[in-house]
Amino acid sequence: MSRHYKYDIVIIGAGAAGLTLALELADHHRVAILTKADIREGSTLYAQGGVAAVLSDKDTIESHINDTIDAGVELGDPEAIRFTVEHSKESIDWLIDQGVPFTRYGESEEYHLTKEGGHSHRRIIHSADATGMAISKTLIKNATNHPNIDFYPDRVAIDVVTTKKLGIAGPNRAVGVYALNLDDDVIEVFHGHFVSLACGGSSKVYLYTSNPDTASGDGIAMAWRAGCRVANMEFNQFHPTCLYDAKAKTFLISEAVRGEGGKLLLPDGTRFMDKFDKREELAPRDIVARAIDHEMKRLGVHHVLLDISHKDPEFIKEHFPTIYKRCLEYGHDMTKGPIPVVPAAHYTCGGVVVNRHSATDIENLYAIGETAYTGLHGANRLASNSLLECIVFARSAAHHISENRLPANDIIIPDWDESKVTNSDEDVVITHNWQELRRFMWDYVGIVRTDKRLLRAKHRVDLLLSEIQEFYANYKISNDLLELRNLAMVADLIIRSAMSRKESRGLHFTLDYPNKQTTSSPTILTPQNTD
């Protein structure tokens, strides 16, 4: 039998977006937060750079808006961009009030602002080179101390429960979540007046990624199955500079290293970014990643180099203490010479279509953070806009929920039915499909694409989806099966979106259509049949 829990709001994910939503609502609502692993694990924890916001008298809202539009290659939603930037300062003030220890200039009260690729001003507020960790630790501390917030770690969400799935007439609305308890393999039911998906992105769909293992596209896949539209799934950001070391598993080297003067070099020590963009190392990430990919393939090398050793060693240690220590652990001293770097899948710019309040197509279902498509990023995310998006839209969602009465939720959600499934004796199928999926996505749907590569990927993902569905229908579920099911579904959405875009724009670059069209619009997919 399933265990049942009842809350006002059920949030899946404990990153910056989920925690902000919880803290903003908890004074007047009971909140449950479900996490796949430890409550501290997630993409927010590993975010190094900072949060973009207009905080200096030398900067302007219009400048931040224009930089975001330019980085997104004119595909971002102007209203969403303005909404986000205009709420940037109050979001930073909220984080400061929560106790986030942002870096200051020496002993002064003034906060240190850095500059990253694509930004025309210094506007990145940060906590040394571990901003995500500082935000995560602060918000988790506050949330765990709040009497109305309960954490449920080691829970893997299976699907959103909607009235349509229960066969109830009327507008389709979310009423809860089924989740697998990894401690005892019991399927639990979390009833909620509101449900929010704050599960992060889907970069684990690629063989090489800077993201933690939890980034398997769960929120996007669950929303799609529930009947929500998704948008711009072809735009997957590859971070240009991850440490190339077998033991490091593509440890991310913050863009701020280039912002503070780091230079990209070929193995022979020559610079190359000037051949690709006049902004050189400070060009947007898509341009830098493609340039590195081009040079690696041209020369047949496994990595390029990033060098900031011309800076004072104390400057490097002060500004990048985490990166410095981690590189040193792997035998690379960035104060004495260049370090090897390579691009890796980093951020999902598309996601579940939401409005300014983070509300999806389904009543009482919200999506925030990397799971959502707000229209902010367009065809490419501007550095450090992602954490800002988390805070701005989570607070907007909280205000929207608070302004509305809690809907009646006396709907009976049945126990999870396992009467027709058995234990699997063929888990090798999951392992094999997992490896195949991530390999062909890297090879065929990566930084540079072609129609033939996309068609090959589509054929393979169709076969995998069929095999996975058969496996899912006949055997007891596991964490690996659920993640594979979600990754395959997200892979299909990425491939279909990429096949429909007949141009190269931002993060989507195809050799068959190398030029940008004069006019373009977001790629929006609508589910025809949902589970």
Side-chain angles (χ1 to χ4, degrees), residues 149-288:
I149 299 176
D150 294 330
F151 283 92
Y152 291 88
D154 300 315
R155 262 70 169 193
V156 181
I158 303 169
D159 268 319
V160 176
V161 183
T162 64
T163 51
K164 181 179 178 181
K165 288 183 180 180
L166 296 176
I168 299 173
N172 193 22
R173 61 188 177 96
V175 293
V177 174
Y178 283 117
L180 171 65
N181 186 328
L182 296 179
D183 292 333
D184 56 15
D185 293 330
V186 171
I187 309 296
E188 300 174 330
V189 184
F190 287 83
H191 303 250
H193 297 283
F194 297 95
V195 175
S196 179
L197 304 171
C199 323
S202 55
S203 288
K204 199 176 175 181
V205 76
Y206 289 101
L207 187 61
Y208 303 110
T209 175
S210 64
N211 285 194
D213 287 342
T214 53
S216 51
D218 302 334
I220 297 170
M222 284 189 288
W224 176 259
R225 286 194 295 268
C228 296
R229 292 171 299 156
V230 299
N232 280 9
M233 290 300 294
E234 70 269 38
F235 297 114
N236 307 279
Q237 188 174 76
F238 290 80
H239 197 286
T241 54
C242 292
L243 183 65
Y244 180 78
D245 189 290
K247 298 176 183 177
K249 293 186 178 180
T250 54
F251 171 69
L252 187 149
I253 306 299
S254 171
E255 191 146 3
V257 173
R258 284 180 285 124
E260 293 295 344
K263 307 301 180 185
L264 287 166
L265 311 173
L266 296 176
D268 65 2
T270 59
R271 294 180 64 188
F272 60 90
M273 276 307 302
D274 60 320
K275 296 188 298 182
F276 296 92
D277 194 280
K278 64 182 180 181
R279 291 165 289 188
E280 300 179 340
E281 280 79 7
L282 291 179
R285 288 177 179 178
D286 61 321
I287 295 172
V288 180

Side-chain angles (χ1 to χ4, degrees), residues 36 201-207 209 212-222 225 233 348 430 433-435 437-438 440-441 461 464-465 468 479-495:
K36 288 170 69 172
S202 55
S203 288
K204 199 176 175 181
V205 76
Y206 289 101
L207 187 61
T209 175
D213 287 342
T214 53
S216 51
D218 302 334
I220 297 170
M222 284 189 288
R225 286 194 295 268
M233 290 300 294
T348 306
I430 298 176
N433 288 352
W434 182 282
Q435 293 170 348
L437 174 70
R438 298 181 73 202
F440 75 64
M441 286 297 291
V461 82
L464 285 184
L465 284 169
I468 293 166
N479 180 42
D480 287 346
L481 176 57
L482 291 173
E483 287 192 338
L484 176 62
R485 178 187 183 222
N486 291 335
L487 279 176
M489 182 163 285
V490 170
D492 183 55
L493 296 174
I494 293 171
I495 295 163

Side-chain angles (χ1 to χ4, degrees), residues 429-448:
V429 174
I430 298 176
T431 304
H432 175 84
N433 288 352
W434 182 282
Q435 293 170 348
E436 181 183 354
L437 174 70
R438 298 181 73 202
R439 169 61 71 181
F440 75 64
M441 286 297 291
W442 181 263
D443 290 341
Y444 298 149
V445 200
I447 296 174
V448 178

Side-chain angles (χ1 to χ4, degrees), residues 60-178:
T60 66
I61 286 175
E62 295 304 320
S63 177
H64 191 175
I65 289 172
N66 290 334
D67 289 347
T68 303
I69 291 172
D70 289 344
V73 200
E74 295 84 41
L75 199 65
D77 180 337
E79 292 183 8
I81 294 170
R82 180 170 292 279
F83 175 81
T84 307
V85 175
E86 287 181 345
H87 289 81
S88 64
K89 186 180 185 304
E90 66 185 57
S91 296
I92 299 302
D93 290 341
W94 183 84
L95 288 172
I96 292 171
D97 289 343
Q98 291 292 315
V100 176
F102 290 116
T103 299
R104 300 178 187 268
Y105 281 102
E107 299 299 320
S108 74
E109 292 297 309
E110 186 180 356
Y111 289 104
H112 180 270
L113 303 178
T114 190
K115 185 178 180 182
E116 295 181 344
H119 289 276
S120 57
H121 292 79
R122 284 183 171 267
R123 64 167 68 100
I124 316 301
I125 190 169
H126 60 100
S127 182
D129 63 344
T131 307
M133 182 180 294
I135 291 174
S136 181
K137 285 184 175 180
T138 301
L139 299 187
I140 285 175
K141 177 184 176 182
N142 295 346
T144 53
N145 288 333
H146 201 294
N148 279 348
I149 299 176
D150 294 330
F151 283 92
Y152 291 88
D154 300 315
R155 262 70 169 193
V156 181
I158 303 169
D159 268 319
V160 176
V161 183
T162 64
T163 51
K164 181 179 178 181
K165 288 183 180 180
L166 296 176
I168 299 173
N172 193 22
R173 61 188 177 96
V175 293
V177 174
Y178 283 117

